[in-house]
Amino acid sequence: MNNKKKVIIVGAKFGELYLNTFIEPPDHIELVGLLSTGSQRSHNLAKAFGIPLYRQVSDLPRDIDIACVVVRASIIGGTGNLLVEELLAKGINVIQEHPVSVQEIERHHRLAKQYKRHYCVNSFYSATTAGQTWLSSADHISRNIGSPASYGNLTTSRQLLYSTLDWLVQSLDLGADVLTPELIYRQPLFDVLNLSSSSGHYLLQLQNHLDPSDPDMHSLAMHRIMLGWNSGYLSLADSYGPVTWTPVLHAKDHQKDHLSLYQTAGTPEGAYLHAQATQKIYQSNASRLDTFEVLGPEGIQTTINMFINQIDTDSLARSLSSEHQIRVAQLWEHILTLCGPVKETKLTPAKPVDLLCREEQ
């Protein structure tokens, strides 16, 4: 990363989080423009960041190194894939926001190779600090125990399924192994699936409904993940944490009845009584604004850094490899096929509950 890379953001909705990566500009990347349809929002953002607003790929200068395409892909009704192809043809390396179909990922990699450029999908959440903490913790546990997690459960929505699966596949480090989904039963609010591999079984609760007029909202849970080993279980409460580790309870010689608990606590055999019941590995105490302005953009910068390393050295991060990304997309498509069409319903915002402020209403 010796040469500063020029970056353009494509899309002004979720693309705002990508722009926020440059609130405090990193030394090695430079924001040089926003490509959008010309909405008032895009004009406001371009003015705020002091960058040009472009309307067409053909209008872009030739010296752009990386384009971050944050426009819905064709599989979810957008034009993101067409923009990726135009940008690759113009000689620009591309990071595309998820989800993306298997067919389009394979096509974009072929085009990238044809134009001697690089392409990857950004599944976003696993690159955040919470995500990286989770992945490094899962790897540490698996290496110490000698095997990946053998059980677990995950709760998410249709909108967040792709990124949840990316998280899971990275956590398990499957190698040549595969995750096979099976629809077990349907609850009123969730479809329940078993994801099995040679290492274990993982229960997925997938929200089965959304509001087509507001598809980005109304997730009952965004990312709630638990993976377990015989030594304990690793938990992710939500997309940005906290991350906790809960060791299994084992009291040596607990069946002996010569000492009470308070007596045992002062002896070597009572050392387990002083260990934390649950260890907090990561917690940000972030507001929603913090997730949009700080935590999410930090994850985006992590992805951009890995992508730049790939461009400069051909050293490929596993999460950005075509093999990993195709595996995630295949599993995503398989699960959606098993579950069938999502239930479309008109939803209203839930009543907010704040447990930190319990005054009677």
Side-chain angles (χ1 to χ4, degrees):
M1 294 188 285
N2 295 326
N3 299 320
K4 183 175 285 193
K5 303 295 185 186
K6 294 185 176 181
V7 178
I8 187 167
I9 308 303
V10 183
K13 186 67 167 65
F14 196 70
E16 184 172 350
L17 272 73
Y18 280 71
L19 291 170
N20 287 344
T21 304
F22 298 88
I23 290 176
E24 295 184 8
D27 292 335
H28 59 289
I29 50 178
E30 178 185 1
L31 179 65
V32 296
L34 172 64
L35 174 64
S36 186
T37 55
S39 65
Q40 186 60 52
R41 179 191 184 100
S42 64
H43 280 281
N44 292 343
L45 287 168
K47 182 179 179 181
F49 282 89
I51 53 175
L53 177 62
Y54 300 100
R55 298 287 297 274
Q56 304 288 336
V57 172
S58 59
D59 296 334
L60 298 177
R62 282 271 173 193
D63 61 347
I64 295 172
D65 298 294
I66 298 170
C68 298
V69 177
V70 202
V71 177
R72 295 182 192 274
S74 59
I75 197 167
I76 51 173
T79 60
N81 297 113
L82 298 176
L83 290 164
V84 169
E85 293 180 10
E86 286 188 74
L87 290 159
L88 288 172
K90 195 175 178 68
I92 300 172
N93 302 290
V94 176
I95 297 172
Q96 183 177 15
E97 181 64 24
H98 75 290
V100 187
S101 70
V102 174
Q103 181 182 15
E104 296 295 349
I105 292 174
E106 292 176 336
R107 174 171 172 78
H108 295 337
H109 275 291
R110 288 196 299 270
L111 286 173
K113 185 176 181 180
Q114 176 184 336
Y115 294 115
K116 295 182 173 57
R117 290 296 178 265
H118 294 267
Y119 164 82
C120 75
V121 177
N122 181 18
S123 295
F124 190 88
Y125 292 96
S126 65
T128 66
T129 303
Q132 294 295 290
T133 301
W134 167 277
L135 291 173
S136 64
S137 299
D139 179 67
H140 177 80
I141 299 164
S142 295
R143 283 190 289 105
N144 274 270
I145 292 174
S147 62
S150 59
Y151 70 96
N153 56 64
L154 311 91
T155 305
T156 191
S157 62
R158 287 287 186 110
Q159 302 94 309
L160 283 303
L161 174 61
Y162 196 104
S163 52
T164 300
L165 296 175
D166 167 69
W167 229 326
L168 176 63
V169 172
Q170 288 194 65
S171 301
L172 297 176
D173 193 12
L174 294 166
D177 201 357
V178 295
L179 276 171
T180 303
E182 175 190 6
L183 179 62
I184 303 174
Y185 56 94
R186 299 183 192 273
Q187 298 174 335
L189 300 179
F190 295 93
D191 293 332
V192 182
L193 301 97
N194 182 50
L195 309 180
S196 62
S197 72
S198 63
S199 299
H201 294 261
Y202 317 94
L203 198 67
L204 170 65
Q205 281 187 298
L206 179 63
Q207 186 174 329
N208 58 22
H209 61 281
L210 59 74
D211 186 339
S213 67
D214 194 9
D216 294 324
M217 296 289 109
H218 306 294
S219 292
L220 295 174
M222 291 181 62
H223 303 92
R224 194 199 64 78
I225 305 174
M226 184 276 282
L227 290 179
W229 295 255
N230 61 3
S231 295
Y233 56 90
L234 188 68
S235 301
L236 176 80
D238 196 25
S239 306
Y240 295 97
V243 178
T244 60
W245 167 246
T246 305
V248 297
L249 172 63
H250 180 73
K252 185 179 180 181
D253 298 327
H254 71 96
Q255 292 177 320
K256 295 180 179 179
D257 60 2
H258 64 293
L259 294 177
S260 63
L261 274 177
Y262 84 88
Q263 291 173 314
T264 303
T267 69
E269 65 191 52
Y272 77 93
L273 292 169
H274 303 284
Q276 283 185 286
T278 293
Q279 301 170 10
K280 191 176 294 180
I281 309 303
Y282 170 79
Q283 181 167 340
S284 66
N285 294 319
S287 67
R288 292 296 186 189
L289 181 60
D290 292 333
T291 66
F292 295 137
E293 288 195 345
V294 180
L295 300 184
E298 283 177 353
I300 292 166
Q301 185 173 333
T302 295
T303 298
I304 291 175
N305 289 345
M306 290 190 293
F307 192 59
I308 289 174
N309 190 50
Q310 177 182 333
I311 293 170
D312 288 346
T313 69
D314 280 331
S315 177
L316 191 62
R318 181 166 58 90
S319 62
L320 301 189
S321 69
S322 60
E323 292 79 12
H324 168 76
Q325 298 190 336
I326 288 170
R327 169 180 277 185
V328 171
Q330 286 173 333
L331 183 58
W332 178 68
E333 291 182 15
H334 192 173
I335 289 172
L336 293 183
T337 299
L338 284 174
C339 293
V342 69
K343 297 177 185 177
E344 296 186 351
T345 183
K346 181 64 178 176
L347 299 170
T348 57
K351 179 181 178 180
V353 177
D354 187 346
L355 293 183
L356 297 180
C357 183
R358 302 194 190 191
E359 296 178 2
E360 294 294 332
Q361 300 297 317

